[in-house]
Amino acid sequence: MRNCPLITEIWMENTGVGKQKVEEDCLVVNSHVKFLYLAHNTRLGDGSVAMLASVCPNLEMMDFRYCGGISMDAIEVLWRCCKIQKMNLAQSGYFLCHFQFRVNFKVPTLLVLNLSTLCISHEERSHISKICYNLKELNLDFCDKITASGVLQVVKNCKQLRMISLWSSKNVSSDIIYWMVSTRPSLREIITPRTNPLTVGERDDSLRHGWCVDLDNKI
């Protein structure tokens, strides 16, 4: 970022980012970097994330899948990037079972959020839908604590929601699909739980209403 001042996109997945400490006098702000892909960097910690957020203030996309060393403190720093639009936190390390959204400010720019496999609670889901109210895509695959009431809260608050994925969400029934579509006309794709697939009658009824259905339970 120091030697290539016009670089806009950086891919460094599974490369050991965070293993070595970077001295502060080596840092330089690069306002051109917009896309940062750092998935599978298990040494990446909160300090490294805070440093990256400070030198890349105009980030729009952040991919931190399978980054085992980051916590909610790092996520709060990232969300202060005022232009953030997409964030991928799927399988984000040791806080899979201890994930807590303590962010106390709104993130109106965020459009796409992947939280698959995170054990977030009902209260946290409600909080997400309130602070990220402009979400268009939300991935909640394998989030075992998801309930129908939590999904309905998200659909109610996110008025621009176009896609929601609930794959392998065993506590969510396909009965709420019709409520979701009627409540939020912007929805174009709903990936239903594989444990509660749509019946043939529900699929046929969906087609009559103009919704697209495929064999993977996608509406």
Side-chain angles (χ1 to χ4, degrees), residues 181-215:
V181 174
S182 61
T183 302
R184 187 59 56 223
S186 62
L187 276 170
R188 293 295 181 269
E189 182 179 12
I190 303 173
I191 303 179
T192 61
R194 65 177 180 177
T195 53
N196 295 302
L198 297 177
T199 65
V200 174
E202 288 172 331
R203 289 176 181 271
D204 292 342
D205 193 33
S206 298
L207 289 172
R208 284 194 295 271
H209 283 80
W211 308 330
C212 179
V213 182
D214 66 22
L215 296 179

Side-chain angles (χ1 to χ4, degrees), residues 20 51 53 136 138 166 175:
Q20 295 181 337
M51 178 268 293
K136 291 187 177 181
L138 179 61
L166 304 169
D175 296 341

Side-chain angles (χ1 to χ4, degrees), residues 147-180:
T147 61
S149 60
V151 173
L152 298 181
Q153 190 70 37
V154 170
V155 173
K156 179 181 178 181
N157 292 335
C158 299
K159 298 182 179 180
Q160 300 186 55
L161 194 65
R162 295 179 62 86
M163 188 282 286
I164 184 169
S165 182
L166 304 169
W167 180 250
S168 194
S169 299
K170 58 185 179 181
N171 295 321
V172 180
S173 170
S174 61
D175 296 341
I176 70 170
I177 300 300
Y178 296 99
W179 182 94
M180 293 168 65

